[in-house]
């Protein structure tokens, strides 16, 4: 006889499912805790920032840290809004450029019988083994010789041709049936029409994944602005905040740094929330082969 504890109104309790959901919920809350603490710290007054033991949640929230951030960066040569504008411009162009270039490069590798196709793809896989620091000196020499120092082009171009972006696009393109492309050509569509009107719309999940990774990498990268710019008006937000957190009076600026860190994280969270459904779709289909 089955006990009444396991059946209610003819339905069996799934104890394993309840345990799994409970475990995942607790794990999700633990992963969310650093973000909550960052937001709480950004709103803490100075008296609460240096309490011991530290207090997780803010008791007397204030916006003073954000005001101090604007005042601290406003004393520089350029306004704080200039750093934000530079980061938005650079990140936007990197995201769009990475998607278009990766898709256009992956399309012939995946759907055409081009010469040395396998060799080229193996070279791309080989490039994934090298750390980005290996190419930094050659990139700087090329940018300097082209006279692109202190330009947006210098901040954008080195991040466009990423091997991982091309690899991701090709793996997703391999799932698109060749018969669909042949049908488009039979209907009179040329390669340009086939690529933009058939292939690109089907790559939307891959777009979202690549856009998320590219944006996070570009938005949080202070290195490019530190190397390729020498003027204050070309600095991006990460470099400006890094300078702020490492300057004189670091202890006094603890609340300001907390507010700056929160502002840095918010855009990446918004981009993830917008693209998460298509990113999960990409991951779900990453192992499917036609």
């Amino acid at each position: 006889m089955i006990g009444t504890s396991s059946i209610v109104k003819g339905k069996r309790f799934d104890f394993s499912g309840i345990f799994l959901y409970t475990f995942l919920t607790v794990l999700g809350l633990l992963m969310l805790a650093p973000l909550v603490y960052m937001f709480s710290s950004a709103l803490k007054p100075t008296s609460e920032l240096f309490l011991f033991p530290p207090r997780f949640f803010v008791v007397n929230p204030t916006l003073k840290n954000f005001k101090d951030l604007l005042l601290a960066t406003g004393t520089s040569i350029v306004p704080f809004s200039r750093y934000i504008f530079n980061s938005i411009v650079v990140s936007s162009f990197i995201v769009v450029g990475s998607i278009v270039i990766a898709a256009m490069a992956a399309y012939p590798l995946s759907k055409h019988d081009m010469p040395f196709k396998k060799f080229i793809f193996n070279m791309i896989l080989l490039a994934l083994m090298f750390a980005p620091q290996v190419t930094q000196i050659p990139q700087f020499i090329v940018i300097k010789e082209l006279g692109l120092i202190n330009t947006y082009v210098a901040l954008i171009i080195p991040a466009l041709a990423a091997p991982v972006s091309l690899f991701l696009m090709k793996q997703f393109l391999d799932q698109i049936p060749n018969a669909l492309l042949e049908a488009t050509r039979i209907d009179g569509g040329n390669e340009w029409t086939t690529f933009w009107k058939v292939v690109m719309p089907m790559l939307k999940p891959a777009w979202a994944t690549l856009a998320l990774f590219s944006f996070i990498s570009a938005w949080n990268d202070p290195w490019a602005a530190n190397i390729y710019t020498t003027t204050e008006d070309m600095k991006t937000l990460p470099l400006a905040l890094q300078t702020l957190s490492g300057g004189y009076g670091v202890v006094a600026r603890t609340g300001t740094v907390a507010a700056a860190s929160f502002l840095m994280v918010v855009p990446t969270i918004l981009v993830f929330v917008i693209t998460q459904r298509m990113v999960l779709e990409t991951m779900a289909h990453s192992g499917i082969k036609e």
Side-chain angles (χ1 to χ4, degrees), residues 4-22:
T4 57
S5 60
S6 61
I7 297 180
V8 176
K9 296 182 179 180
K11 295 183 179 180
R12 184 183 298 272
F13 276 118
D14 185 4
F15 291 105
S16 60
I18 294 174
F19 173 77
L20 178 61
Y21 279 112
T22 303

Side-chain angles (χ1 to χ4, degrees), residues 205 208-209 271-284:
T209 305
V271 172
F272 175 76
V273 170
I274 294 172
T275 61
Q276 64 171 335
R277 184 178 61 84
M278 288 187 286
V279 171
L280 293 176
E281 184 179 343
T282 302
M283 301 304 176

Side-chain angles (χ1 to χ4, degrees), residues 13-260:
F13 276 118
D14 185 4
F15 291 105
S16 60
I18 294 174
F19 173 77
L20 178 61
Y21 279 112
T22 303
F23 174 75
L24 292 177
T25 300
V26 173
L27 188 63
L29 292 175
L30 289 176
M31 296 178 65
L32 189 63
L35 296 178
V36 176
Y37 183 76
M38 182 183 297
F39 175 68
S40 177
S41 298
L43 297 177
K44 286 180 179 179
T46 306
S47 58
E48 294 186 33
L49 284 170
F50 298 100
L51 286 178
F52 186 82
R55 183 179 293 163
F56 190 87
F57 294 105
V58 59
V59 176
N60 301 305
T62 178
L63 296 177
K64 184 178 182 298
N65 293 328
F66 294 94
K67 296 178 181 178
D68 291 344
L69 174 62
L70 293 177
L71 291 175
T73 53
T75 58
S76 62
I77 302 174
V78 297
F80 183 68
S81 57
R82 178 69 183 189
Y83 303 129
I84 298 177
F85 175 78
N86 290 341
S87 288
I88 291 175
V89 170
V90 172
S91 300
S92 300
F93 275 95
I94 287 177
V95 169
V96 175
S98 297
I99 292 173
V100 174
I101 291 175
M104 294 182 68
Y107 178 58
L109 286 175
S110 177
K111 298 303 179 183
H112 287 77
D113 293 327
M114 56 182 291
F116 308 109
K117 180 172 72 172
K118 187 175 181 181
F119 174 77
I120 294 173
F121 186 63
N122 287 336
M123 290 297 100
I124 295 170
L125 294 180
L126 183 63
L128 292 172
M129 300 174 60
F130 294 95
Q133 290 77 11
V134 175
T135 61
Q136 287 177 352
I137 294 178
Q139 283 179 359
F140 174 78
I141 294 174
V142 172
I143 293 296
K144 183 177 181 298
E145 292 300 322
L146 292 176
L148 298 177
I149 300 296
N150 289 327
T151 64
Y152 287 118
V153 178
L155 300 177
I156 295 170
I157 283 185
L160 294 182
V164 66
S165 303
L166 200 156
F167 176 78
L168 175 66
M169 281 292 183
K170 183 187 179 300
Q171 294 302 101
F172 204 88
L173 266 166
D174 288 343
Q175 303 170 25
I176 299 177
N178 293 328
L180 181 62
L181 306 183
E182 291 295 334
T184 306
R185 298 187 184 102
I186 292 173
D187 290 339
N190 55 26
E191 288 298 331
W192 195 251
T193 302
T194 302
F195 176 75
W196 284 107
K197 294 188 176 181
V198 178
V199 174
M200 288 298 278
M202 298 183 69
L203 289 176
K204 285 183 179 179
W207 292 7
T209 305
L210 184 53
L212 176 62
F213 293 159
S214 299
F215 181 82
I216 292 176
S217 176
W219 183 262
N220 295 316
D221 179 28
W223 185 87
N226 192 27
I227 298 299
Y228 299 132
T229 64
T230 58
T231 59
E232 191 71 21
D233 62 336
M234 289 302 300
K235 286 184 178 181
T236 55
L237 186 59
L239 180 59
L241 298 184
Q242 189 179 76
T243 304
L244 175 67
S245 61
Y248 175 76
V250 176
V251 175
R253 292 179 175 178
T254 302
T256 305
V257 173

